[in-house]
Amino acid sequence: MSETESLNNIAPSPFVMFEGVAGDVPPIGSLLVKPASAACNLDCEYCFYLDRESDPYAGAAERIMSLDTLETLVHGFLSYSYPNSGFAFQGGEPTLAGLRFYENLVRFQQRHGRSGQSVGNSIQTNGTLLTQEWCELFRDFSFLIGLSLDGPEEIHDRYRVNKAGHPTAAKVIDAARLLRAENVEFNVLCVVSQANVHRAREVFRFFRNLGVAYVQFIPLAEFQPDGTPMPFAINAEEYGRFLCKIYDLWWPERRHMGVRFFENVAEALAGRKAGSCTLHESCDSYAVVEYSGDVYPCDFFVEKQWRLGNVTTDSWPDIARRLRRMEFAAKKSLPHEACAVCQYRGICHGGCPHLRRSRNGRFEDLDWFCGAYKKVFAKTVPTLTAEVRKILAEQAANY
């Protein structure tokens, strides 16, 4: 039996036996792979993964994906996702898997890819372990790097420290400069917390001066068991004011620097699927692969009850048809009376299920940042609509 035949005939995992959906199902467009699971060399105070009670791998001695599992993953997904295949590596800290892991990744993709296939790789990293050798790999094989940086040193170091409690900003800023010097494409992911939510201008100018071409702002919302926000979390009013201030700063700079939230809104206004799953109609666009090969529908829901299968025992077409995948995707569309009458429901589609469930454990609640979205949409939609119409008209004229 050939390798392809063996992949197409692997038996489904007993955990998800007979859980299938008939007919057409939305394809899994890309993967978020966690080669080192939640393991990390830092000890950020606000980390979502730190000591999580629902972690199905708590107590595991080793959390590094084996090369056998990696090759099975690559082989199967390249076959399933042809002609466009996307692999995003995240953690924890994905560079803990080691440089050789990613060198093998590229070899496996070259070995199992087909003629005309487009394969994209990206890594979300804290940057503290990057070296010139890493940069050479990233540049030679066109990896896109997402660098976690919350702003200037004073801001970044408030919550992002290493295991010894020492600051990390200097190393991350050095990593950004190294990536630029080595001509490696990178974006910045900035967590918006109590450290920076009231310092929008300072944060924006810092990124511009650092030469950042694209930034994604990630609002921080973590809660105590009783639903009380953690001290570092922000509320909707704070996040809304932050984004509105960023918009004012960004608009004159929009040709030189991208901000993901605003670009996603523009995509939605243009009738296209937004790049961020927060603004999708359902939660089924990607899948998470843990170090063990286990597959889940979302990085915020790596929990036993949402496990879809395993890449070493299940085919991707079977995983895509899992009933619980469709059940999870439908959580986004649970009705809320406020959403039913909201003029912006066609943009956010109810927001993020994680931000709906995280406070009180109810998917039917409003997104914690609903008020922020409304505030930002009210400010940005008029000008973005005009900009989108202008760009579409220019494209039509040049077609």
Side-chain angles (χ1 to χ4, degrees):
M1 181 180 293
S2 70
E3 279 187 289
T4 302
E5 289 172 332
S6 64
L7 278 172
N8 289 337
N9 289 280
I10 49 182
S13 163
F15 190 88
V16 288
M17 186 73 78
F18 305 126
E19 286 190 7
V21 177
D24 294 334
V25 296
I28 297 171
S30 62
L31 298 182
L32 192 159
V33 185
K34 303 177 68 176
S37 191
C40 189
N41 61 319
L42 300 190
D43 195 15
C44 302
E45 185 176 340
Y46 58 54
C47 183
F48 167 76
Y49 302 103
L50 189 65
D51 301 323
R52 191 164 57 96
E53 290 184 6
S54 59
D55 182 1
Y57 310 105
E62 180 70 15
R63 291 195 185 196
I64 300 295
M65 182 177 286
S66 71
L67 293 183
D68 286 343
T69 299
L70 176 63
E71 183 164 20
T72 300
L73 163 63
V74 169
H75 188 183
F77 192 68
L78 287 181
S79 176
Y80 167 77
S81 58
Y82 180 87
N84 299 304
S85 309
F87 297 81
F89 294 85
Q90 190 171 299
E93 175 48 46
T95 60
L96 290 178
L99 181 64
R100 303 296 173 256
F101 178 90
Y102 295 96
E103 292 174 337
N104 279 290
L105 164 74
V106 172
R107 280 196 283 270
F108 295 153
Q109 290 173 338
Q110 292 171 333
R111 179 182 303 169
H112 299 296
R114 295 151 61 187
S115 177
Q117 186 156 17
S118 173
V119 180
N121 291 307
S122 62
I123 292 183
Q124 173 59 35
T125 175
N126 61 44
T128 60
L129 301 178
L130 298 187
T131 62
Q132 185 170 346
E133 193 176 12
W134 278 101
C135 289
E136 289 171 357
L137 175 75
F138 296 153
R139 182 185 61 247
D140 292 347
F141 295 100
S142 301
F143 277 66
L144 172 63
I145 310 306
L147 189 66
S148 295
L149 181 59
D150 290 354
E153 291 191 28
E154 176 194 352
I155 291 174
H156 180 92
D157 289 335
R158 181 169 173 185
Y159 298 124
R160 298 186 66 86
V161 296
N162 64 18
K163 297 295 186 184
H166 297 153
T168 62
K171 282 190 174 183
V172 183
I173 294 170
D174 284 346
R177 291 171 176 153
L178 177 63
L179 290 167
R180 285 196 67 194
E182 294 296 325
N183 295 314
V184 176
E185 185 178 1
F186 76 97
N187 300 333
V188 160
L189 275 75
C190 173
V191 174
V192 184
S193 67
Q194 286 299 329
N196 55 14
V197 71
H198 302 295
R199 300 169 72 172
R201 179 180 296 274
E202 184 179 352
V203 169
F204 185 85
R205 291 304 176 201
F206 170 76
F207 289 144
R208 285 293 287 127
N209 292 336
L210 192 60
V212 174
Y214 195 89
V215 61
Q216 177 182 353
F217 293 108
I218 305 171
L220 181 57
E222 298 297 333
F223 303 91
Q224 305 279 8
D226 65 356
T228 303
M230 299 289 281
F232 40 68
I234 62 175
N235 60 41
E237 177 62 25
E238 290 172 321
Y239 185 45
R241 281 190 276 108
F242 175 88
L243 282 182
C244 286
K245 184 61 179 178
I246 292 290
Y247 188 77
D248 287 336
L249 296 165
W250 169 76
W251 185 254
E253 305 272 2
R254 64 190 183 281
R255 305 299 185 198
H256 309 288
M257 181 180 184
V259 175
R260 189 180 192 191
F261 188 89
F262 305 141
E263 293 192 358
N264 290 163
V265 174
E267 289 167 341
L269 293 172
R272 299 172 182 173
K273 192 170 186 177
S276 172
C277 56
T278 298
L279 302 185
H280 292 178
E281 291 187 60
S282 61
C283 294
D284 51 25
S285 59
Y286 82 104
V288 175
V289 183
E290 270 282 352
Y291 77 102
S292 60
D294 287 340
V295 182
Y296 299 85
C298 174
D299 193 32
F300 288 114
F301 293 88
V302 176
E303 302 168 356
K304 289 180 179 179
Q305 66 265 37
W306 294 114
R307 180 179 176 272
L308 302 177
N310 188 287
V311 300
T312 65
T313 56
D314 299 279
S315 72
W316 282 104
D318 283 345
I319 289 171
R321 292 182 178 279
R322 296 296 185 223
L323 177 59
R324 69 196 60 186
R325 178 174 177 245
M326 299 300 101
E327 290 174 341
F328 179 80
K331 294 296 184 183
K332 172 123 184 182
S333 61
L334 284 176
H336 190 284
E337 57 185 15
C339 295
V341 296
C342 179
Q343 62 179 312
Y344 302 117
R345 64 185 181 277
I347 299 177
C348 81
H349 301 289
C352 175
H354 168 64
L355 294 170
R356 295 172 67 167
R357 185 193 72 157
S358 56
R359 187 182 189 194
N360 300 311
R362 297 193 299 258
F363 283 101
E364 60 270 25
D365 284 354
L366 281 173
D367 185 309
W368 173 251
F369 293 113
C370 173
Y373 304 148
K374 288 181 177 180
K375 186 179 185 71
V376 177
F377 293 155
K379 181 178 183 64
T380 65
V381 165
T383 49
L384 284 176
T385 298
E387 185 80 352
V388 165
R389 288 173 178 168
K390 178 182 176 182
I391 293 172
L392 292 178
E394 290 173 352
Q395 290 176 345
N398 295 325
Y399 182 71

